[in-house]
Amino acid sequence: MKSQERESRKGNKRESSAAETAADMGIDLLTEEQYRERQTFGDSG
């Protein structure tokens, strides 16, 4: 990330992480393995 972009994000920090948001919603995030597996659904190759 460029220095200028990094500086501009300092004023707009996230309030929470994706994991925290998912936990608040009562859902689980996929692992990378689960995500990759699902990306193959419907592939005919």
Side-chain angles (χ1 to χ4, degrees):
M1 183 182 296
K2 295 178 183 175
S3 176
Q4 184 178 4
E5 293 171 345
R6 191 176 302 122
E7 287 298 316
S8 70
R9 293 224 9 108
K10 285 185 179 180
N12 298 304
K13 289 186 178 180
R14 296 182 208 128
E15 292 182 18
S16 63
S17 69
E20 291 171 328
T21 301
D24 290 345
M25 296 171 67
I27 60 174
D28 295 322
L29 295 177
L30 296 175
T31 65
E32 185 175 349
E33 181 180 349
Q34 291 168 325
Y35 174 82
R36 291 187 187 280
E37 181 182 324
R38 282 158 179 77
Q39 292 301 304
T40 63
F41 288 170
D43 284 350
S44 58

